[in-house]
Amino acid sequence: MLVDLIRVPDITCIDDFLDEPLGLMYLASCLREKDYDVRITNLAGHSFESCKSKIKEADLYGIQLYTPTSKMGLDIAKFIKENFPEKPVICGGAHPSALPELKELEIFDNVVVRESEISIVKIADAYRNKKQIPRIIESDFIKDLDSIPLPAWDLVDMLKFHRKVDGQRCFGIIGSRGCTFHCAFCDQAIMGDRVRFRSVDNIVYEIKEAINKYGIRHFEFFDDMFTIRKSRLIEFKEKTKELNISYRCNSRTDVPEPEETYKLLKESGCKVVSFGIESGSQKILDRMNKQNTVENNYKAIKMAQEAGIIAMGYFMIGFPGETIKTINESIEFVEKSNMDQAQFYTFVPLPGCDVYKHPEKYGVKIISHNFSDYYLVTGKEGLGGKTIETESLSADELENQMRKVRKFLKERGFRGETQDYYSKLKYKKIDV
Ligand code: B12
Ligand code: SF4
């Protein structure tokens, strides 16, 4: 039985070949372990018209849906249903995890909620053995992440993707899943609000496989909470010291024992740390339930840079309560912190986040329920979609502010859409 896992294109994205579809590659390796044939159809960079010739016959189709690209995913599902009417088509990923009952998803034979390595095998078994299963399948979180096989690198052209660390093509790795915080803009429907860790040995095994099979020594960790446990960082440093790796990771700015943490990151090969700064205004951070301070954000950037790591930060504009003054505070933060890279996104109430669930609590009006408007990163001119109107900022004013911010970033040599941090570094002490 052949299972076809489909990566939907993000047509508004400048570089749709940034990262390999890690989630689908995990599903593929779990299916293969149970002797299913699996294909990953990576439609990155395609228009809907050109997708059509890429979709071949299979026995079961699985489509990954993100909210902003869900319309394209639905069109692809419809195309499959028209051309291979007997074949079941299922979906999973962030969008159905947040809104499994959505009417638009009725086209799918099954809708799968949350991380799905276990469910996908059960579903394939059910179709193979002609057994009944519920249409909406709520997956349990995987307790032992070491029990799942490594992602199926061989099913995609790994060297075709563009993400770089230290100037070199890197592989994505996820060493832990989940996050214990509850920021009001964040959609945690897939991985949940408890952190589950892979063992360091299991991560090191993946790294060694990447080195042995592809000669890749550069990595990007997608973990939400990579830096949360110092003991893990110490073990990671010890166990990778002979491997000569470099990597990029995400971190909150309120890690315990920060100086030691950034030193450990540096010593274990970290070149870039990305912080969710979000705003230069404490008022906005509090409204976001970020549970962090502007002061911590300043300190973290300084400490990471002093440890010799490139400090980049993600910001969001247009969160409920945002005003021109608070946006200017964010710009001022970029200036004063002397951070190495800054990327600004438009706030979009992604289904699954608290603002989407309770707009009234935040005093906002959701003005679009067309999910094709829900781009935060890309969208029209990279400005993000117009989805909400706040008491203090209309959707048009927000778009103008985003233009202003992008102009500022450009003038400062931050392009926002680039992966090439190294050529734009302001912090000259780092040898990269
Ligand atoms: C790294 C990352 C990226 C990377 C690369 C993603 C990748 N590896 O494919 C980049 C930067 C390219 C990216 C882009 C975008 N991202 Co992103 N990303 C992430 C991040 C941090 C980790 C994703 C990851 O690799 N997880 C590890 C793997 C194992 O999990 P997974 O991919 O989710 O797959 C599992 C399940 O979702 C499920 N599943 C997935 N597909 C399918 C299919 C079927 C059939 C089934 C049954 C199950 C299933 O099973 C998988 C295995 O457990 C998450 C946050 C998070 N912690 O989840 C955000 C996140 C997924 N991204 C998000 C968004 C919005 C986007 C963009 C739409 C941004 C935009 N353009 O506006 C784009 C869309 C890109 C696209 N392909 O269309 C949101 C999604 C919210 C939503 N409701 O859509 C998230 C949740 C961030 C957030 N908290 O808000 N992203
Ligand atoms: S934004 Fe970061 S810290 Fe906040 S809930 Fe999401 S993953 Fe956790």
Side-chain angles (χ1 to χ4, degrees):
M1 179 168 157
L2 173 63
V3 185
D4 190 353
L5 299 172
I6 297 180
R7 199 294 208 169
V8 172
D10 179 352
I11 47 166
T12 67
C13 191
I14 293 166
D15 182 1
D16 204 14
F17 263 94
L18 207 47
D19 296 290
E20 59 277 5
L22 195 58
L24 297 180
M25 289 154 62
Y26 267 113
L27 301 183
S29 58
C30 291
L31 284 164
R32 275 208 308 207
E33 214 178 42
K34 300 289 177 204
D35 287 336
Y36 288 96
D37 292 325
V38 192
R39 176 168 72 211
I40 293 181
T41 300
N42 178 17
L43 298 174
H46 282 277
S47 66
F48 178 56
E49 278 312 305
S50 63
C51 285
K52 291 179 180 171
S53 62
K54 295 273 162 197
I55 298 168
K56 310 282 184 221
E57 189 161 2
D59 300 302
L60 170 65
Y61 293 91
I63 303 183
Q64 178 167 24
L65 296 182
Y66 288 79
T67 295
T69 59
S70 58
K71 166 80 173 60
M72 176 69 104
L74 292 170
D75 289 345
I76 291 170
K78 213 167 143 221
F79 174 80
I80 296 170
K81 285 284 179 193
E82 282 162 7
N83 287 275
F84 310 106
E86 304 300 315
K87 307 297 182 183
V89 185
I90 68 171
C91 71
H95 191 56
S97 293
L99 298 174
E101 315 265 358
L102 199 67
K103 197 160 179 358
E104 292 162 12
L105 301 181
E106 279 174 1
I107 186 168
F108 293 101
D109 296 278
N110 299 96
V111 174
V112 193
V113 175
R114 297 192 277 272
E115 55 186 31
S116 309
E117 282 87 344
I118 297 170
S119 303
I120 192 89
V121 175
K122 286 189 184 158
I123 297 168
D125 287 349
Y127 281 107
R128 185 158 62 181
N129 303 322
K130 301 195 173 24
K131 290 231 170 81
Q132 290 290 320
I133 39 164
R135 195 179 150 271
I136 295 181
I137 295 176
E138 301 259 347
S139 313
D140 291 328
F141 290 116
I142 301 161
K143 287 195 189 81
D144 176 11
L145 291 176
D146 286 3
S147 67
I148 52 175
L150 297 187
W153 290 325
D154 59 308
L155 288 185
V156 293
D157 187 351
M158 284 299 279
L159 301 177
K160 211 171 168 184
F161 296 92
H162 301 152
R163 174 84 69 188
K164 290 194 171 92
V165 164
D166 212 9
Q168 301 292 321
R169 163 76 186 123
C170 69
F171 282 13
I173 297 197
I174 183 146
S176 62
R177 297 184 181 189
C179 169
T180 51
F181 289 87
H182 294 97
C183 303
F185 55 82
C186 183
D187 175 358
Q188 288 172 288
I190 307 171
M191 304 289 182
D193 62 2
R194 291 215 174 141
V195 194
R196 289 155 295 132
F197 296 100
R198 287 167 65 188
S199 68
V200 172
D201 283 334
N202 190 254
I203 297 168
V204 172
Y205 166 63
E206 182 167 348
I207 289 174
K208 285 184 177 164
E209 286 287 289
I211 296 173
N212 294 336
K213 291 190 174 149
Y214 294 85
I216 289 285
R217 289 178 193 274
H218 302 79
F219 301 92
E220 165 149 28
F221 282 93
F222 292 140
D223 308 35
D224 293 326
M225 308 239 91
F226 186 81
T227 54
I228 200 75
R229 274 202 197 157
K230 204 180 90 183
S231 58
R232 268 174 77 80
L233 296 176
I234 295 172
E235 190 185 345
F236 183 72
K237 183 190 119 182
E238 285 306 313
K239 292 186 169 161
T240 54
K241 70 178 169 216
E242 309 296 332
L243 300 178
N244 189 24
I245 61 163
S246 34
Y247 68 91
R248 172 183 163 182
C249 65
N250 302 316
S251 178
R252 281 185 55 102
T253 61
D254 54 355
V255 287
E257 302 176 75
E259 270 176 61
E260 280 181 64
T261 297
Y262 299 119
K263 194 165 166 274
L264 277 168
L265 289 185
K266 173 68 184 172
E267 287 169 358
S268 59
C270 178
K271 297 285 172 179
V272 184
V273 60
S274 312
F275 295 115
I277 304 287
E278 320 303 353
S279 174
S281 154
Q282 190 61 49
K283 188 188 97 188
I284 296 294
L285 290 186
D286 294 342
R287 287 195 77 163
M288 288 174 167
N289 193 27
K290 193 73 199 175
Q291 294 181 46
N292 208 346
T293 61
V294 173
E295 196 191 340
N296 271 342
N297 290 345
Y298 272 116
K299 280 189 191 153
I301 288 166
K302 190 161 181 281
M303 275 189 268
Q305 289 177 330
E306 281 171 1
I309 302 172
I310 295 168
M312 76 158 289
Y314 294 113
F315 293 79
M316 183 173 285
I317 70 165
F319 190 82
E322 187 92 91
T323 58
I324 293 174
K325 177 172 174 281
T326 58
I327 292 172
N328 288 340
E329 286 178 73
S330 294
I331 292 176
E332 192 182 298
F333 183 96
V334 176
E335 292 278 16
K336 281 199 186 155
S337 66
N338 198 30
M339 61 203 299
D340 299 301
Q341 260 293 337
Q343 292 191 5
F344 278 67
Y345 303 131
T346 301
F347 168 71
V348 164
L350 286 168
C353 83
D354 204 49
V355 182
Y356 184 87
K357 290 181 205 156
H358 307 288
E360 66 300 332
K361 194 167 123 190
Y362 296 88
V364 294
K365 195 167 147 216
I366 297 187
I367 57 166
S368 171
H369 286 281
N370 174 359
F371 292 123
S372 302
D373 289 336
Y374 278 55
Y375 284 98
L376 45 153
V377 182
T378 49
K380 189 183 124 205
E381 298 171 55
L383 295 170
K386 283 187 191 173
T387 54
I388 62 160
E389 214 139 65
T390 75
E391 286 155 354
S392 45
L393 216 55
S394 72
D396 287 338
E397 274 167 328
L398 177 59
E399 192 178 273
N400 283 337
Q401 288 300 310
M402 194 59 181
R403 281 183 212 283
K404 176 181 96 179
V405 169
R406 288 179 78 87
K407 187 165 172 273
F408 158 77
L409 293 175
K410 205 170 173 186
E411 281 165 10
R412 296 296 309 263
F414 297 158
R415 289 187 36 231
E417 68 269 19
T418 181
Q419 289 307 308
D420 181 12
Y421 309 109
Y422 304 93
S423 60
K424 293 170 187 69
L425 266 188
K426 291 188 288 97
Y427 195 74
K428 299 296 180 206
K429 275 196 219 161
I430 304 167
D431 178 24
V432 284

mmCIF file of all heavy atoms in Angstrom, residues 179-183 185-188 224-225 252 278 290, ligand 2:
data_model
loop_
_atom_site.group_PDB
_atom_site.id
_atom_site.type_symbol
_atom_site.label_atom_id
_atom_site.label_comp_id
_atom_site.label_asym_id
_atom_site.label_seq_id
_atom_site.Cartn_x
_atom_site.Cartn_y
_atom_site.Cartn_z
ATOM 1 N N CYS A 179 5.612 23.493 24.761
ATOM 2 C CA CYS A 179 6.080 24.682 25.464
ATOM 3 C C CYS A 179 5.123 24.942 26.612
ATOM 4 O O CYS A 179 3.902 24.853 26.441
ATOM 5 C CB CYS A 179 6.090 25.878 24.509
ATOM 6 S SG CYS A 179 6.340 27.437 25.370
ATOM 7 N N THR A 180 5.689 25.285 27.779
ATOM 8 C CA THR A 180 4.851 25.448 28.976
ATOM 9 C C THR A 180 4.224 26.847 29.085
ATOM 10 O O THR A 180 3.425 27.094 29.971
ATOM 11 C CB THR A 180 5.684 25.199 30.250
ATOM 12 O OG1 THR A 180 6.855 26.005 30.143
ATOM 13 C CG2 THR A 180 6.075 23.749 30.381
ATOM 14 N N PHE A 181 4.632 27.773 28.227
ATOM 15 C CA PHE A 181 4.073 29.125 28.300
ATOM 16 C C PHE A 181 2.777 29.199 27.479
ATOM 17 O O PHE A 181 2.461 28.273 26.722
ATOM 18 C CB PHE A 181 5.101 30.149 27.810
ATOM 19 C CG PHE A 181 6.235 30.297 28.788
ATOM 20 C CD1 PHE A 181 7.336 29.455 28.736
ATOM 21 C CD2 PHE A 181 6.178 31.247 29.791
ATOM 22 C CE1 PHE A 181 8.368 29.563 29.652
ATOM 23 C CE2 PHE A 181 7.203 31.370 30.711
ATOM 24 C CZ PHE A 181 8.301 30.521 30.642
ATOM 25 N N HIS A 182 2.077 30.298 27.644
ATOM 26 C CA HIS A 182 0.795 30.439 26.942
ATOM 27 C C HIS A 182 0.684 31.835 26.351
ATOM 28 O O HIS A 182 -0.211 32.610 26.714
ATOM 29 C CB HIS A 182 -0.384 30.175 27.903
ATOM 30 C CG HIS A 182 -0.426 28.767 28.386
ATOM 31 N ND1 HIS A 182 0.100 28.368 29.585
ATOM 32 C CD2 HIS A 182 -0.883 27.639 27.794
ATOM 33 C CE1 HIS A 182 -0.043 27.061 29.720
ATOM 34 N NE2 HIS A 182 -0.641 26.597 28.656
ATOM 35 N N CYS A 183 1.586 32.167 25.452
ATOM 36 C CA CYS A 183 1.512 33.495 24.837
ATOM 37 C C CYS A 183 0.221 33.559 24.011
ATOM 38 O O CYS A 183 -0.119 32.603 23.304
ATOM 39 C CB CYS A 183 2.731 33.731 23.951
ATOM 40 S SG CYS A 183 4.272 33.567 24.861
ATOM 41 N N PHE A 185 -0.709 34.920 21.383
ATOM 42 C CA PHE A 185 -0.707 34.910 19.914
ATOM 43 C C PHE A 185 -0.271 33.562 19.361
ATOM 44 O O PHE A 185 -0.273 33.350 18.156
ATOM 45 C CB PHE A 185 0.271 35.977 19.383
ATOM 46 C CG PHE A 185 1.660 35.814 19.939
ATOM 47 C CD1 PHE A 185 2.538 34.900 19.391
ATOM 48 C CD2 PHE A 185 2.063 36.549 21.039
ATOM 49 C CE1 PHE A 185 3.798 34.715 19.936
ATOM 50 C CE2 PHE A 185 3.318 36.381 21.590
ATOM 51 C CZ PHE A 185 4.191 35.450 21.033
ATOM 52 N N CYS A 186 0.117 32.633 20.236
ATOM 53 C CA CYS A 186 0.804 31.436 19.760
ATOM 54 C C CYS A 186 -0.160 30.258 19.650
ATOM 55 O O CYS A 186 -0.969 30.015 20.533
ATOM 56 C CB CYS A 186 1.945 31.095 20.717
ATOM 57 S SG CYS A 186 2.930 29.689 20.177
ATOM 58 N N ASP A 187 -0.050 29.545 18.557
ATOM 59 C CA ASP A 187 -0.878 28.369 18.329
ATOM 60 C C ASP A 187 -0.096 27.132 18.773
ATOM 61 O O ASP A 187 0.891 26.754 18.164
ATOM 62 C CB ASP A 187 -1.199 28.297 16.825
ATOM 63 C CG ASP A 187 -1.969 27.041 16.462
ATOM 64 O OD1 ASP A 187 -2.218 26.208 17.350
ATOM 65 O OD2 ASP A 187 -2.321 26.906 15.282
ATOM 66 N N GLN A 188 -0.557 26.548 19.872
ATOM 67 C CA GLN A 188 0.166 25.388 20.416
ATOM 68 C C GLN A 188 -0.606 24.098 20.217
ATOM 69 O O GLN A 188 -0.412 23.125 20.959
ATOM 70 C CB GLN A 188 0.393 25.581 21.917
ATOM 71 C CG GLN A 188 1.434 26.628 22.243
ATOM 72 C CD GLN A 188 1.456 26.893 23.738
ATOM 73 O OE1 GLN A 188 0.544 27.499 24.276
ATOM 74 N NE2 GLN A 188 2.486 26.418 24.403
ATOM 75 N N ASP A 224 10.862 24.729 20.764
ATOM 76 C CA ASP A 224 10.410 25.986 21.382
ATOM 77 C C ASP A 224 11.233 26.279 22.631
ATOM 78 O O ASP A 224 11.376 27.423 23.042
ATOM 79 C CB ASP A 224 8.931 25.872 21.771
ATOM 80 C CG ASP A 224 8.032 25.764 20.544
ATOM 81 O OD1 ASP A 224 8.377 26.380 19.520
ATOM 82 O OD2 ASP A 224 7.018 25.061 20.604
ATOM 83 N N MET A 225 11.726 25.243 23.280
ATOM 84 C CA MET A 225 12.353 25.395 24.594
ATOM 85 C C MET A 225 13.755 24.767 24.628
ATOM 86 O O MET A 225 14.089 24.048 25.564
ATOM 87 C CB MET A 225 11.489 24.712 25.647
ATOM 88 C CG MET A 225 10.040 25.126 25.635
ATOM 89 S SD MET A 225 9.528 25.812 27.188
ATOM 90 C CE MET A 225 9.830 27.520 27.010
ATOM 91 N N ARG A 252 13.910 31.542 24.829
ATOM 92 C CA ARG A 252 13.308 32.664 25.534
ATOM 93 C C ARG A 252 14.451 33.485 26.125
ATOM 94 O O ARG A 252 15.577 33.017 26.215
ATOM 95 C CB ARG A 252 12.366 32.157 26.634
ATOM 96 C CG ARG A 252 11.012 31.701 26.073
ATOM 97 C CD ARG A 252 10.054 31.325 27.169
ATOM 98 N NE ARG A 252 9.834 32.363 28.149
ATOM 99 C CZ ARG A 252 8.759 33.158 28.210
ATOM 100 N NH1 ARG A 252 7.798 33.048 27.320
ATOM 101 N NH2 ARG A 252 8.634 34.061 29.165
ATOM 102 N N GLU A 278 9.234 40.034 20.465
ATOM 103 C CA GLU A 278 7.839 40.427 20.195
ATOM 104 C C GLU A 278 7.586 41.918 20.226
ATOM 105 O O GLU A 278 6.962 42.450 19.316
ATOM 106 C CB GLU A 278 6.815 39.747 21.140
ATOM 107 C CG GLU A 278 7.049 38.291 21.492
ATOM 108 C CD GLU A 278 7.148 37.341 20.302
ATOM 109 O OE1 GLU A 278 6.913 37.775 19.173
ATOM 110 O OE2 GLU A 278 7.511 36.160 20.508
ATOM 111 N N LYS A 290 3.215 37.296 27.718
ATOM 112 C CA LYS A 290 4.565 36.803 27.397
ATOM 113 C C LYS A 290 5.305 36.387 28.668
ATOM 114 O O LYS A 290 6.295 35.656 28.605
ATOM 115 C CB LYS A 290 5.308 37.916 26.633
ATOM 116 C CG LYS A 290 6.579 37.517 25.951
ATOM 117 C CD LYS A 290 6.384 36.665 24.712
ATOM 118 C CE LYS A 290 7.683 35.944 24.403
ATOM 119 N NZ LYS A 290 7.629 35.009 23.309
HETATM 120 S S1 SF4 B 2 5.594 32.090 21.665
HETATM 121 FE FE1 SF4 B 2 7.243 30.746 22.373
HETATM 122 S S2 SF4 B 2 7.163 30.908 24.621
HETATM 123 FE FE2 SF4 B 2 5.218 31.700 23.863
HETATM 124 S S3 SF4 B 2 3.823 29.941 23.927
HETATM 125 FE FE3 SF4 B 2 4.679 30.019 21.834
HETATM 126 S S4 SF4 B 2 6.464 28.691 21.856
HETATM 127 FE FE4 SF4 B 2 5.911 29.129 24.014
#
